[in-house]
Amino acid sequence: MLELGSLQRDALCEIFNISVGQAAASMSQIINEEILLSVPMVEFYSVEEAAAYLEQSSQRVCSVRQSFDGSFHGNALLIFPEARSLDLVRLMMGNSLPIEQLTELEQDALSEIGNIILNSCLGSLADIFKQPFQCGLPALHIGSGISVLKECDANHVVMVLQIQFSLAARELHGHVIFIMNANSLELLNEAINRFLGALMVQS
């Protein structure tokens, strides 16, 4: 499996910190409460390793998935522990239903959160790499960490971004993951290197 170097990982962290900052501003307007988002970590796993990682983080998760296609392609997912996803719904909807009783409107709210964050991440990549991405519609899934990745080929690579949500009275943790094949990961690596090379020329 292709591994990105530390310089490339640092560049990705900075790119995604910018993108989730933009997403935080949008979400703050929706819930009328300041939200700060950060990406302290970017890691790469095999599908099997990623499934184990998600299972360790939480036995049941809530995920929003969007496909994307551009200079490289794959699927992007926003993932929260099941209980934490309900916290976000309560902030947006102002109610206290148990997760199994989520109404269609509340599921739409979760999908919208995923749409905001995932589109912000992909938008930042498009701006930095000067390559547009076409995104599919968000799809909500609630289940085990393994079930989130059940449709992935064993040879796919999973890029995991740890996302930290800081609100006035609480902290929430989630993940954004990108699922790509080896060819797309190679294209991502090349795009990052072109971006870093352009920065060096400018400096």
Side-chain angles (χ1 to χ4, degrees):
M1 182 173 68
L2 173 69
E3 278 283 352
L4 271 65
S6 59
L7 188 61
Q8 286 85 357
R9 287 177 187 237
D10 289 344
L12 275 177
C13 262
E14 185 56 32
I15 290 168
F16 286 124
N17 268 315
I18 293 170
S19 67
V20 297
Q22 295 167 345
S26 298
M27 290 179 61
S28 295
Q29 291 182 344
I30 293 174
I31 68 171
N32 198 29
E33 182 178 341
E34 184 180 13
I35 298 177
L36 300 176
L37 300 182
S38 64
V39 180
M41 180 199 79
V42 176
E43 294 290 347
F44 291 85
Y45 298 103
S46 67
V47 171
E48 183 178 357
E49 290 168 339
Y53 175 77
L54 292 176
E55 286 290 302
Q56 184 179 16
S57 300
S58 177
Q59 289 188 340
R60 284 179 59 82
V61 299
C62 190
S63 73
V64 180
R65 176 191 293 256
Q66 275 188 304
S67 61
F68 63 91
D69 192 8
S71 53
F72 48 91
H73 66 273
N75 286 280
L77 292 86
L78 174 66
I79 299 174
F80 290 104
E82 186 179 54
R84 291 304 192 181
S85 65
L86 184 56
D87 287 341
L88 285 177
V89 170
R90 286 170 176 164
L91 284 172
M92 293 184 71
M93 305 296 296
N95 61 34
S96 57
L97 285 176
I99 193 78
E100 63 271 11
Q101 294 182 23
L102 280 179
T103 66
E104 184 176 347
L105 185 61
E106 289 158 334
Q107 292 179 29
D108 288 345
L110 277 174
S111 294
E112 181 58 23
I113 292 170
N115 191 51
I116 290 170
I117 294 177
L118 296 177
N119 280 344
S120 186
C121 289
L122 289 167
S124 288
L125 290 178
D127 290 342
I128 292 294
F129 300 149
K130 304 187 187 316
Q131 293 284 340
F133 289 95
Q134 293 77 46
C135 300
L137 295 174
L140 180 67
H141 173 79
I142 299 173
S144 67
I146 291 176
S147 71
V148 169
L149 302 176
K150 67 180 180 181
E151 297 180 2
C152 299
D153 291 340
N155 62 348
H156 280 172
V157 179
V158 182
M159 179 171 67
V160 177
L161 320 177
Q162 187 183 92
I163 303 285
Q164 182 170 323
F165 289 64
S166 296
L167 295 89
R170 74 215 78 174
E171 286 197 358
L172 309 176
H173 298 274
H175 299 88
V176 170
I177 70 174
F178 288 82
I179 304 168
M180 299 173 287
N181 60 26
N183 182 58
S184 285
L185 183 59
E186 177 64 46
L187 292 171
L188 170 63
N189 189 43
E190 292 174 1
I192 297 170
N193 287 335
R194 286 194 299 271
F195 168 69
L196 292 172
L199 288 181
M200 291 177 184
V201 170
Q202 293 174 9
S203 61

